[in-house]
């Protein structure tokens, strides 16, 4: 990663709340400005990003399951297979609700 890309990544991380700048200094001894930053990486932001990713992945998988369940192929399955898929969908919905609650609690804690 180039210096410019690294700086842009850092700036985006600060804007997104991923990093908290706790100290900074500017040094011009070499004739050019040199910046030093001390940052705290906010663990809650990383966790929040991971949970949102899990939620979105699960939502996408559930949508695919819903699409399949609306297809004629689903109607041709045995009663047991259809029931198992319905239970799978319920489990996915429950997991999504739990992930959503965790996301909301973390967002509240970050205020």
């Amino acid at each position: 990663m180039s210096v410019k890309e690294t700086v842009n990544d850092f700036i985006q991380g600060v804007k997104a709340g991923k990093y908290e700048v706790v100290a900074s200094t500017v040094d011009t001894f070499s004739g050019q400005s040199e910046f030093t930053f001390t940052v705290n990486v906010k663990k809650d932001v990383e966790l929040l990003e991971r949970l949102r990713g899990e939620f979105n992945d699960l939502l996408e998988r559930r949508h695919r399951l819903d699409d399949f369940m609306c297809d004629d192929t689903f109607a041709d399955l045995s009663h047991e297979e259809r029931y198992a898929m319905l239970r799978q969908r319920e489990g996915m919905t429950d997991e999504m609700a739990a992930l959503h609650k965790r996301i909301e609690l973390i967002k509240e804690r970050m205020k």
Side-chain angles (χ1 to χ4, degrees), residues 42-88:
K42 294 184 174 181
K43 298 293 182 190
D44 283 344
V45 172
E46 292 174 2
L47 176 60
L48 193 58
E49 289 173 2
R50 193 173 69 243
L51 290 176
R52 284 180 175 151
E54 285 180 36
F55 181 89
N56 290 332
D57 290 344
L58 188 56
L59 180 62
E60 182 180 324
R61 286 185 14 238
R62 194 185 73 180
H63 282 313
R64 286 195 312 263
L65 181 60
D66 287 343
D67 289 345
F68 178 77
M69 292 171 75
C70 291
D71 191 85
D72 290 339
T73 308
F74 178 75
D76 293 337
L77 296 175
S78 70
H79 173 72
E80 291 84 8
E81 287 178 292
R82 289 193 312 265
Y83 179 74
M85 291 182 96
L86 288 168
R87 294 287 300 133
Q88 178 183 356

